Each structure stands twice: as C-alpha cells, then as structure tokens.
Amino acid sequence: HPARNGVIDDVQNSFRHSPAFSLLVTLQFTAESYKEQFLKDIQPVAEYCKASEPDTLSYEVLLSDKDPLQVLVLERYKDKDVAYAQVHKSSRPFLEFRPKLQAMAEAGND
C-alpha cells in the first residue's frame, strides 16, 4: 500500500536524521512521604520543561499502578548534546532540584 509505505519511510527517515535522546528513570521510595516530597520538588522542573524548553519533546512523571512507592520519569529530548546536556541540565529549576534529589538518595529515601 503506497500511503502506508510513505508513512513508514517518513518514520524511518525521522529516526535517521534526528536521533532523539530518551531517558527512563525509575525511582523506588521507602515511604509515601518521600515520594510526595519528590513529586513536589520535581513539579517546577516539569512545568519549566513544558513552558520553556521547546527541544524537550516529553517530560512526564508517571506513577506506577503496581507499586505505590515507585515513580518513573520519562524524558525525551531532540538531542543529547544540546537539548539535554546544555539546555535542560543548566536550567534554573533543574539546578535547584538536583541537590534535593541527591540529598534524598544519600539519605536512602529513594
């Protein structure tokens, strides 16, 4: 079917010419209070990505339907070197969030 092949060709070409960079981060918390604090802390990052990072293609915080203490963060960027490494990782909300996450991990709360 010609139209179907055209769609497949378009999809294949988009993968070849613009390799998006994706991350799937799984966090396992030891208590509901830590999970709730994480959700509160990451909210400004997620909001900023949607409003101010056009090359962040997706930034989603997902709650597990099987484990109430598990959170997944699905991130997708136009590319790794610029959209992720330069733009996202240098944003004010990310830089404010990162030490909070590190402190939580060091305390054994994630």
Side-chain angles (χ1 to χ4, degrees):
H1 187 273
R4 178 179 232 141
N5 289 339
V7 171
I8 291 170
D9 290 342
D10 288 346
V11 170
Q12 289 174 342
N13 286 336
S14 71
F15 285 127
R16 260 183 266 162
H17 298 298
S18 59
F21 175 68
S22 299
L23 291 173
L24 177 61
V25 181
T26 303
L27 298 117
Q28 185 67 45
F29 294 93
T30 57
E32 182 72 21
S33 60
Y34 301 132
K35 180 186 89 172
E36 292 302 321
Q37 184 62 51
F38 170 82
L39 294 173
K40 179 182 171 194
D41 291 343
I42 200 168
Q43 185 174 356
V45 179
E47 290 172 356
Y48 181 85
C49 287
K50 289 177 183 172
S52 304
E53 294 182 9
D55 290 335
T56 298
L57 306 175
S58 178
Y59 196 92
E60 299 179 54
V61 178
L62 310 166
L63 302 178
S64 172
D65 65 342
K66 296 183 180 169
D67 183 341
L69 296 178
Q70 187 177 73
V71 176
L72 297 108
V73 181
L74 176 61
E75 305 174 47
R76 190 162 181 262
Y77 302 90
K78 182 178 175 184
D79 59 68
K80 183 177 182 179
D81 295 335
V82 177
Y84 172 68
Q86 292 179 18
V87 176
H88 177 69
K89 288 183 77 176
S90 67
S91 71
R92 182 186 49 77
F94 179 83
L95 294 173
E96 291 173 357
F97 167 73
R98 190 73 183 140
K100 294 174 186 177
L101 182 61
Q102 287 175 329
M104 194 177 283
E106 289 168 5
N109 299 328
D110 70 346

